[in-house]
Amino acid sequence: ADDQRNQQQAGMASEIYQQLTAAGIETLYDDREERPGVKFKDADLIGCPVRVVVGKKAITDGLVEIKRRSGGEMAFRTKEKITGYLQDILADMLHKQGTKN
């Protein structure tokens, strides 16, 4: 059962990666055989501004977890809505950067 779920998660993650890349969103797909905590720490270390997690909820409820590095709560979106949601987040982040200078 775990193997099947892992394959479903990997398949969905791959689709999301292609979807985001096609939309012009620079995406790093971490498919290493590591525990989630290790991957999250590495994403923070290299400065990924937003983290997208295809976890258990993705398979059971069709929801993907999205979290901004700069804090804030986790958001959950369907695969179909994730690109638009990320575009909004990134536009907001760019806008805030622009107002700091």
Side-chain angles (χ1 to χ4, degrees):
D2 265 0
D3 269 359
Q4 188 182 1
R5 195 181 71 227
N6 288 344
Q7 282 177 343
Q8 286 177 305
Q9 284 170 296
M12 188 186 278
S14 184
E15 283 173 38
I16 290 169
Y17 173 76
Q18 289 165 6
Q19 188 179 309
L20 295 176
T21 302
I25 298 173
E26 188 182 340
T27 308
L28 175 69
Y29 178 14
D30 189 348
D31 58 354
R32 295 175 300 161
E33 293 287 329
E34 287 286 0
R35 294 185 322 281
V38 171
K39 294 181 179 189
F40 297 164
K41 194 176 104 218
D42 288 349
D44 281 346
L45 278 172
I46 59 175
C48 295
V50 181
R51 185 174 79 209
V52 176
V53 179
V54 180
K56 289 179 185 151
K57 263 189 189 303
I59 304 310
T60 57
D61 307 327
L63 294 173
V64 177
E65 173 188 310
I66 302 144
K67 185 163 187 346
R68 285 166 99 138
R69 181 167 168 247
S70 60
E73 58 278 359
M74 272 177 220
F76 291 93
R77 293 291 181 276
T78 60
K79 187 176 74 177
E80 293 72 31
K81 294 205 167 140
I82 194 169
T83 301
Y85 181 71
L86 282 173
Q87 285 169 330
D88 290 347
I89 284 182
L90 295 169
D92 181 54
M93 290 167 83
L94 283 173
H95 174 73
K96 284 183 176 149
Q97 272 180 345
T99 55
K100 276 182 194 163
N101 298 341

